[in-house]
Amino acid sequence: MAQITTHHVTDWNNYHFNGPYPTKCLFDIDTNRTIVSLIDRYTDSASSIQGLISDSLANNERFRAYGSAWSLSNVAHQRDRMLFNANLNIRLEIKDSQLHPSTTYQSENLFLFQCGNTIKEISEFLQKKGKSLKTCGASNGQTIAGAISTGVHGSSIDVGSVQDCVVGLQLIIGPNANDRVYIERESRPALSDEFARRIQSRVIRSDDLFNAALVSLGAFGVIHGVVLEAEDLYLLKRYVKKISKADALQIAATMDFANARFKLPDEVLPDGTVNRPFHYKLYINPYNASEDFVTEIIYKKPYRTGYPNPVPFVQNAIFKDIPTWVSAFAAKHKRIIPRILDALKSEAFPKVDDTIEGTLGEIFWDTSQSSAAFGCGFGIDIADSPKALDLFIDLMNDKGPIPGILSMRFVKASEATLGFTRFPTTCILEVDGVPWKGNQNMISLDDFLTDVIKTFKDSGIAFTLHWGKNAPWSFPNLIDLMYGNADDKWKDMRSILLSKEIAHLFSNDFLSTVNLADYRVNIAPDFVALRDAVAASVV
Amino acid sequence: MGYATVKNSLCVLGLLALLQACSYSVIVSNKNGVAQPDPFRQELGFYNLKKVQDVKFINRLSLLQNSVMVIDSTCTEGFHSIEYKITFGDMLRNTITFGKRKAVRVRIVCIKPSNQ
Ligand SMILES: Cc1cc2nc3c(=O)[nH]c(=O)nc-3n(C[C@H](O)[C@H](O)[C@H](O)COP(=O)(O)OP(=O)(O)OC[C@H]3O[C@@H](n4cnc5c(N)ncnc54)[C@H](O)[C@@H]3O)c2cc1C
């Protein structure tokens, strides 16, 4: 059996100290490395997790897996029992013989990753095979299960988010033999039934169920394995330029680089055609919005060896507790915030006119930020992005100032039912900074973000929120406002897959706050056949 | 508080600040590999949620030896990072013993073992 250490605790905190939150018990699990066959070691971990689920049920305690604790919201927190799964990092290559007979995927591009593999581990593993992830966030510390569960994105304008590279999921949804399921899309099957049997799972092929389980917020059971589609290794060439606000936002609103006023001479071909970038990101100082925007533009290039190492040789990693000091000071003397931010700009923004090349894993390398922090990401249709930015900046100046800087990233729509990148191309308008305590002198973060939501609503700007970041999650009817009926479908799918008792087991405070915890005995008529098929499936 | 007490406190504070400024550390970190995680280690900065091993001792060198080697057997797949720290006291000890008593303060983070 896998090694499990049980720690009785009183509280738990996330990576950026947004808690602490009360918790009773934390399990630290590691694979049984004495089992030689990796696939047997993998199924052994699943059995051990089922043992924990069984015990939690017997004790009427709820249960939740988490990864790197990088979510700034309390989405990963559970009051009863939490499973730290970062040591579950088995990786398996998929062989031709393991493919579904009618798949369109190539076996050389498919890999099964156990839930605790981090993005960095995956990138390094794939690079050794001449492969790469299609996209990732701005850094690499999330576990694969954690990343897809909240919908982690970078700024890959034509690719999507991390969950959009997933083709199959193995979930553990209870303590019994039939409670291991392998789910993939019916329209795009990837692996054979035989492979699912090998990992002791029953197979469910359904686009609706798969898309709902992709961004699951930890509520569809324990994601034990993730089948990812990779691609051939490539290089990214990153330019950092200052662009006028008007030119930067012309691109932001359309993603039309071919007809944009701004052009990078190095990326214009002799016939005048303009290369389309892989990534486009704007960094904005909200307290001096008339200044040109620092803009990061990245192009995909064929892989070659011998390029200079893009990871800096020296980083100033000897930390002092500056952010906490800044926020305490800022909360008392808020007028000085714009000046502090101006001074810290060189830390927060990339260096202008720096051009570097590297693999995806090198360009989006380790984060050096490891202190108290807040972050909030609003998803908006790109057409609305200039207006949303202006409103946001006005609020930061009128209600604030608050100690945060803005950025905009752009991502292709996700197929995940509750993916917050749900617009054809979503602009993620983000504010990141150091947390502070609101007082009579200064608005709190929650109140500020509530004002942003109200303003967007009143201005007719449709929006979503990053599940793994700070937000006033108890805002009335927030989920309906953001997702229309999509949350009903998500709840139906969850109720099809899980029993009522198990749905309760995998719920938490976050889910209750956003009204996603309820179980549906009566699901929409369209899904009755699916429910019956799922109930009838066996390993 | 009398003037003399304030003056003395300021002197002590100044001295402490000076001594603090004389200590420093350098972290040598591997570009590759992921740090072994520790869900209980919560602290601001580089070691947040990383499993660390602290090695601290004072080593007496013989006449023929001029440096110290630390052999670590805890990292099965290599080092993620090594921090070497030197304090004012360590420097003083090194100087007055003509380099024959060396304080070693090393903090090691291992690479998270892969499942191969
Ligand atoms: C420094 C930093 C940089 C960031 N950069 C970005 C960025 O560029 N882009 C972006 O989109 N976000 C970013 N974020 C947010 C962060 O990436 C996401 O919140 C992500 O979900 C965290 O992954 P994790 O492994 O830490 O998961 P956790 O925060 O531990 O968990 C997230 C969710 O996944 C669930 N979960 C985890 N493992 C399992 C499992 N095995 N089974 C079922 N459910 C599971 C948890 O229950 C929880 O609901 C950043 C955060 C930080 C701290």
Side-chain angles (χ1 to χ4, degrees):
Chain A
M1 292 302 268
Q3 291 173 35
I4 297 171
T5 322
T6 306
H7 302 269
H8 297 284
V9 294
T10 51
D11 54 37
W12 173 87
N13 214 335
N14 63 14
Y15 181 79
H16 278 313
F17 304 89
N18 295 106
Y21 308 101
T23 288
K24 293 182 194 158
C25 182
L26 200 151
F27 301 111
D28 190 354
I29 185 169
D30 199 349
T31 59
N32 181 347
R33 283 157 211 265
T34 63
I35 302 175
V36 179
S37 151
L38 283 182
I39 208 147
D40 290 343
R41 201 186 292 177
Y42 176 86
T43 52
D44 171 76
S45 305
S47 307
S48 302
I49 294 172
Q50 288 191 296
L52 294 175
I53 292 175
S54 170
D55 190 65
S56 302
L57 283 171
N59 287 287
N60 199 19
E61 302 244 294
R62 291 189 294 174
F63 184 85
R64 170 161 289 252
Y66 79 99
S68 300
W70 270 29
S71 294
L72 298 112
S73 66
N74 61 339
V75 68
H77 165 243
Q78 169 55 262
R79 283 176 180 272
D80 295 337
R81 299 180 174 200
M82 298 182 66
L83 174 70
F84 175 63
N85 63 33
N87 289 311
L88 300 182
N89 61 349
I90 294 172
R91 308 107 204 224
L92 295 167
E93 291 176 65
I94 300 298
K95 302 188 189 79
D96 254 350
S97 60
Q98 294 166 332
L99 290 178
H100 188 275
S102 49
T103 192
T104 51
Y105 296 109
Q106 289 176 293
S107 62
E108 60 167 52
N109 287 334
L110 297 186
F111 301 86
L112 171 66
F113 291 100
Q114 205 177 14
C115 51
N117 275 288
T118 63
I119 297 296
K120 184 173 189 184
E121 286 177 287
I122 294 174
S123 286
E124 289 183 349
F125 172 80
L126 291 178
Q127 180 155 358
K128 288 187 191 136
K129 316 262 170 229
K131 299 286 171 187
S132 169
L133 279 170
K134 290 170 186 281
T135 186
C136 67
S139 191
N140 57 17
Q142 308 91 344
T143 59
I144 186 63
I148 63 171
S149 298
T150 66
V152 167
H153 64 92
S155 196
S156 316
I157 57 180
D158 296 324
V159 180
S161 309
V162 176
Q163 75 273 9
D164 300 316
C165 314
V166 176
V167 304
L169 289 169
Q170 192 209 18
L171 303 179
I172 302 176
I173 56 167
N176 304 315
N178 218 28
D179 290 334
R180 296 180 197 182
V181 294
Y182 172 69
I183 309 184
E184 53 181 28
R185 286 191 183 94
E186 188 180 14
S187 60
R188 270 172 279 160
L191 302 186
S192 66
D193 293 6
E194 182 48 37
F195 182 82
R197 263 193 294 278
R198 186 70 185 88
I199 55 171
Q200 299 171 357
S201 298
R202 62 185 156 118
V203 188
I204 300 172
R205 291 204 178 85
S206 154
D207 287 24
D208 288 329
L209 200 58
F210 180 81
N211 289 336
L214 263 186
V215 172
S216 70
L217 315 174
F220 274 59
V222 175
I223 301 165
H224 184 229
V226 178
V227 183
L228 282 178
E229 187 187 28
E231 65 178 76
D232 289 345
L233 193 59
Y234 50 87
L235 285 185
L236 293 176
K237 185 165 186 185
R238 188 191 83 162
Y239 301 85
V240 181
K241 297 286 170 197
K242 274 201 161 178
I243 309 186
S244 73
K245 180 180 174 185
D247 286 0
L249 292 181
Q250 182 200 29
I251 296 174
T254 57
M255 287 291 116
D256 180 1
F257 290 85
N259 299 302
R261 285 188 295 273
F262 174 81
K263 288 187 175 47
L264 267 175
D266 285 358
E267 299 296 338
V268 180
L269 303 178
D271 67 357
T273 329
V274 177
N275 284 336
R276 186 163 172 82
F278 168 82
H279 163 119
Y280 181 72
K281 178 172 180 180
L282 306 175
Y283 295 83
I284 302 145
N285 177 356
Y287 305 114
N288 192 358
S290 60
E291 73 182 11
D292 291 350
F293 289 177
V294 174
T295 308
E296 185 179 64
I297 317 169
I298 300 180
Y299 294 82
K300 207 167 171 177
K301 304 284 175 190
Y303 183 75
R304 62 181 161 74
T305 53
Y307 57 90
N309 176 14
V311 177
F313 179 64
V314 176
Q315 287 204 332
N316 293 329
I318 306 172
F319 282 91
K320 293 216 165 131
D321 192 6
I322 292 173
T324 321
W325 167 82
V326 170
S327 67
F329 189 74
K332 284 215 175 91
H333 312 279
K334 68 173 186 174
R335 267 195 231 112
I336 208 148
I337 289 174
R339 264 187 265 163
I340 298 177
L341 288 180
D342 216 45
L344 292 177
K345 217 167 52 183
S346 61
E347 304 285 325
F349 293 180
K351 214 165 128 213
V352 177
D353 289 335
D354 243 12
T355 303
I356 54 169
E357 255 184 311
T359 60
L360 182 87
E362 288 171 330
I363 296 293
F364 301 108
W365 196 65
D366 300 5
T367 179
S368 57
Q369 188 200 2
S370 187
S371 45
F374 81 86
C376 176
F378 282 88
I380 296 151
D381 191 311
I382 48 168
D384 287 332
S385 64
K387 185 176 167 194
L389 177 68
D390 280 343
L391 290 170
F392 210 109
I393 289 175
D394 286 350
L395 283 170
M396 281 181 91
N397 283 280
D398 294 349
K399 306 274 175 180
I402 61 163
I405 56 149
L406 293 175
S407 60
M408 287 168 121
R409 292 193 267 178
F410 304 88
V411 188
K412 191 182 136 185
S414 176
E415 287 178 72
T417 314
L418 287 190
F420 59 86
T421 42
R422 68 191 311 254
F423 305 98
T425 304
T426 301
C427 162
I428 294 120
L429 174 55
E430 298 170 286
V431 56
D432 293 285
V434 285
W436 74 96
K437 279 206 170 61
N439 55 32
Q440 71 279 21
N441 182 34
M442 193 169 164
I443 190 168
S444 72
L445 176 64
D446 231 44
D447 288 348
F448 173 75
L449 294 175
T450 303
D451 282 340
V452 177
I453 291 179
K454 282 183 186 154
T455 307
F456 282 177
K457 198 175 151 205
D458 295 346
S459 313
I461 294 179
F463 69 92
T464 54
L465 284 160
H466 190 315
W467 297 109
K469 299 213 172 168
N470 303 103
W473 290 109
S474 53
F475 189 90
N477 291 326
L478 184 62
I479 302 301
D480 287 337
L481 188 61
M482 297 195 294
Y483 290 93
N485 295 330
D487 58 313
D488 293 317
K489 188 169 179 186
W490 188 87
K491 287 179 194 173
D492 277 351
M493 291 302 133
R494 184 167 180 251
S495 307
I496 286 175
L497 188 67
L498 308 182
S499 68
K500 192 170 183 189
E501 187 187 28
I502 293 291
H504 174 72
L505 180 95
F506 289 120
S507 296
N508 67 349
D509 290 352
F510 180 84
L511 239 54
S512 303
T513 307
V514 295
N515 290 326
L516 285 174
D518 47 308
Y519 189 79
R520 302 215 152 162
V521 180
N522 298 315
I523 54 163
D526 286 357
F527 302 133
V528 171
L530 175 64
R531 183 182 62 192
D532 295 345
V534 169
S537 64
V538 283
V539 177
Chain B
M1 216 190 289
Y3 171 72
T5 332
V6 173
K7 204 172 88 179
N8 287 345
S9 308
L10 282 178
C11 283
V12 171
L13 273 178
L15 197 66
L16 280 176
L18 194 73
L19 293 183
Q20 179 64 24
C22 291
S23 328
Y24 72 95
S25 76
V26 176
I27 302 175
V28 179
S29 175
N30 198 334
K31 177 189 163 205
N32 304 312
V34 170
Q36 203 169 3
D38 178 351
F40 296 104
R41 184 175 195 96
Q42 283 235 298
E43 63 178 49
L44 291 169
F46 183 76
Y47 294 107
N48 191 17
L49 299 183
K50 294 187 174 94
K51 186 173 238 154
V52 308
Q53 338 255 353
D54 282 316
V55 182
K56 269 188 213 160
F57 59 88
I58 294 171
N59 198 52
R60 206 184 279 265
L61 297 185
S62 77
L63 274 178
L64 295 177
Q65 296 169 320
N66 69 355
S67 68
V68 184
M69 186 188 283
V70 180
I71 314 260
D72 174 78
S73 57
T74 49
C75 295
T76 50
E77 294 190 18
F79 297 116
H80 172 268
S81 66
I82 299 178
E83 177 174 7
Y84 181 76
K85 190 168 185 180
I86 189 150
T87 65
F88 181 71
D90 298 340
M91 282 191 270
L92 211 60
R93 181 182 292 107
N94 186 49
T95 312
I96 59 181
T97 63
F98 298 104
K100 289 298 153 202
R101 287 189 73 170
K102 294 226 188 292
V104 177
R105 284 171 216 270
V106 187
R107 177 167 275 192
I108 297 168
V109 177
C110 300
I111 286 182
K112 173 178 162 187
S114 58
N115 262 287
Q116 303 289 349

